[in-house]
Amino acid sequence: MNILLTNDDGIDAVGLSVALAGAKGHDVFIIAPDRQQSATSASLTLRRPISYREANFNGVSGAYSCDGSPVDCAKLGLGKLVPWPPNLLISGCNEGLNVGYDVFYSGTVAAALEGLFVHVPSLAVSLQHPMEKSSRNALKLLPHLIDLAANWSGAGKYLA
């Protein structure tokens, strides 16, 4: 499965590494913010050019950091950088839960919604503190969620 991986916590975030490990065995392409971008919601960079640069990750099709928002990263990946059509977009794993009203402010959730807007099944994944225990749980669950996503047909069509 071709997976686009992004987040809102930044390219160096522990949760991004957890998501990458959970996607082991799949073709993964990463584009994430170059710094912490939590609570940026669905913001877009409109008044300046967005830049991106290659990042170092082993075992991926490509990896970039971007000086824009999580939504900018998702759009850049989906529209320009990813060399193949993604079957799934995973946004996360976010450091801290996105529950209740938090989902309206979450860059993690907003990046996942960008995938749905272009008919790519998407997951927004969050980790609860303490991160160590939550990360172990995510590593167990992500492969199963990815397998379920492989069977989604037209999931994003309901949002268009």
Side-chain angles (χ1 to χ4, degrees), residues 67-108:
D67 70 350
S69 70
V71 168
D72 292 332
C73 291
K75 285 184 167 296
L76 188 59
L78 291 164
K80 179 176 177 137
L81 293 177
V82 178
W84 27 250
N87 305 108
L88 177 66
L89 184 151
I90 299 175
S91 183
C93 297
N94 189 67
E95 184 175 337
L97 296 179
N98 285 310
V99 295
Y101 289 119
D102 291 353
V103 299
F104 297 109
Y105 303 104
S106 169
T108 302

Side-chain angles (χ1 to χ4, degrees), residues 8-147:
D8 74 352
D9 291 328
I11 194 79
D12 297 319
V14 170
L16 189 71
S17 296
V18 171
L20 178 58
K24 186 178 179 182
H26 296 279
D27 202 357
V28 177
F29 192 98
I30 299 170
I31 180 162
D34 61 4
R35 63 196 179 286
Q36 175 60 253
Q37 293 282 314
S38 290
T40 56
S41 191
S43 66
L44 291 169
T45 303
L46 300 175
R47 292 177 178 83
R48 67 170 176 81
I50 296 171
S51 65
Y52 57 92
R53 62 181 173 79
E54 282 192 76
N56 293 318
F57 281 86
N58 291 327
V60 298
S61 292
Y64 291 86
S65 66
C66 171
D67 70 350
S69 70
V71 168
D72 292 332
C73 291
K75 285 184 167 296
L76 188 59
L78 291 164
K80 179 176 177 137
L81 293 177
V82 178
W84 27 250
N87 305 108
L88 177 66
L89 184 151
I90 299 175
S91 183
C93 297
N94 189 67
E95 184 175 337
L97 296 179
N98 285 310
V99 295
Y101 289 119
D102 291 353
V103 299
F104 297 109
Y105 303 104
S106 169
T108 302
V109 173
L113 286 172
E114 284 304 311
L116 289 178
F117 293 155
V118 295
H119 311 295
V120 175
S122 301
L123 298 172
V125 182
S126 298
L127 299 177
Q128 178 178 339
H129 292 282
M131 293 278 289
E132 184 178 314
K133 179 180 179 184
S134 184
S135 295
R136 285 193 307 269
N137 290 334
L139 287 172
K140 291 177 191 171
L141 290 173
L142 269 171
H144 299 293
L145 291 172
I146 291 168
D147 287 344

